[in-house]
Amino acid sequence: MSRPPREPGLQPERTRLAWRRTTLTQAVGALLLLHTAAEAASAPVWAAACCAALATGVTFVAGRLRRETAPPPRPAMVLTAGLTAATALLCLVPPL
Amino acid sequence: MTRRRRGAGPAAGRAGAGQADEYGAGDADGGVEPDYRFTLANERTFLAWVRTGVSLLAAAVAVRQLVPPFSVPYAREILAAVCALLAFVIAVRAYPHWRRAQSAIRRGGPLPGSRLLPLLAAVLAAVAAFTTVLVWAGGTA
């Protein structure tokens, strides 16, 4: 079986790397929040930290669900952005 | 440049309309299946917005937790709240923006503008100006 000609712009690779980069950024954000939660020991901060950790997991899975030239299923994309929004909302709760 | 269809490899075996719909191909927006490079570029733009949101959130937490208090009361709290609020707005708008861009690409129409871009620039400029004033004139408490 002959391989298809390589795409000159390496778009699929760039997109795969963009998902990894996003997962990594989410993980760093989640770790920062977990560290804060461990020190502050308040419920809203723990909630934000757990939400961020969940967002990291969802982003990782979404990045795995996508195909070479097609985005992941829409619910995965909605959750990726939605859980980030939820984390931001929880970060607005007073103790943080 | 030749326009390539998405249908290379196993992805070509897209049978029922239901499955196509789930993956945004058989969209209610209609239009034609675009060059997959446009789809990928749009996907990366979505991810870039998500990362911008997450970074702003990290900035908010860092400002609140790591920066020593300024002489201006609630300065850190205000900065953190503004960053977190902007992160929220960006994260909420990321998916609808991707969707609108995707449908514009499918229809071959002009890409929708984004009000997020001027908003992000304006808020970041305000945060930078406020921080500059705090550091130079305010000093730490």
Side-chain angles (χ1 to χ4, degrees):
Chain A
M1 203 174 125
S2 65
R3 279 170 162 274
R6 201 172 177 80
E7 208 268 317
L10 300 179
Q11 302 261 0
E13 283 91 335
R14 285 165 63 188
T15 312
R16 201 160 50 237
L17 287 171
W19 276 99
R20 288 200 193 149
R21 210 152 60 226
T22 308
T23 308
L24 205 64
T25 310
Q26 300 263 40
V28 170
L31 284 175
L32 187 62
L33 272 169
L34 283 171
H35 175 77
T36 308
E39 289 201 333
S42 77
V45 187
W46 272 116
C50 291
C51 198
L54 196 61
T56 308
V58 165
T59 310
F60 179 76
V61 172
R64 288 298 169 103
L65 284 179
R66 69 180 305 282
R67 292 171 307 204
E68 192 69 3
T69 58
R74 291 195 169 193
M77 292 188 77
V78 172
L79 275 178
T80 298
L83 284 170
T84 305
T87 311
L89 209 54
L90 286 169
C91 281
L92 281 166
V93 177
L96 200 73
Chain B
M1 216 184 272
T2 52
R3 282 193 147 221
R4 265 186 267 174
R5 290 285 172 147
R6 187 200 275 179
R14 138 192 331 286
Q19 190 199 358
D21 197 32
E22 190 194 346
Y23 289 91
D27 223 305
D29 311 323
V32 292
E33 190 54 39
D35 184 328
Y36 73 77
R37 283 170 291 188
F38 299 156
T39 304
L40 291 179
N42 192 22
E43 194 179 334
R44 289 198 297 273
T45 308
F46 164 79
L47 289 173
W49 277 117
V50 170
R51 281 199 303 276
T52 307
V54 173
S55 307
L56 278 166
L57 212 49
V61 176
V63 161
R64 189 70 187 82
Q65 300 295 325
L66 306 176
V67 175
F70 292 104
S71 56
V72 179
Y74 296 113
R76 289 183 309 167
E77 284 79 357
I78 290 167
L79 278 176
V82 168
C83 284
L85 204 59
L86 186 58
F88 174 71
V89 172
I90 284 175
V92 163
R93 297 306 303 161
Y95 179 74
H97 182 68
W98 174 83
R99 223 192 123 91
R100 272 185 295 132
Q102 196 63 18
S103 110
I105 291 168
R106 296 180 65 82
R107 282 184 283 104
L111 283 174
S114 174
R115 284 190 303 267
L116 276 182
L117 228 44
L119 178 75
L120 175 67
V123 174
L124 282 185
V127 165
F130 185 52
T131 311
T132 307
V133 170
L134 274 182
V135 171
W136 280 4
T140 51

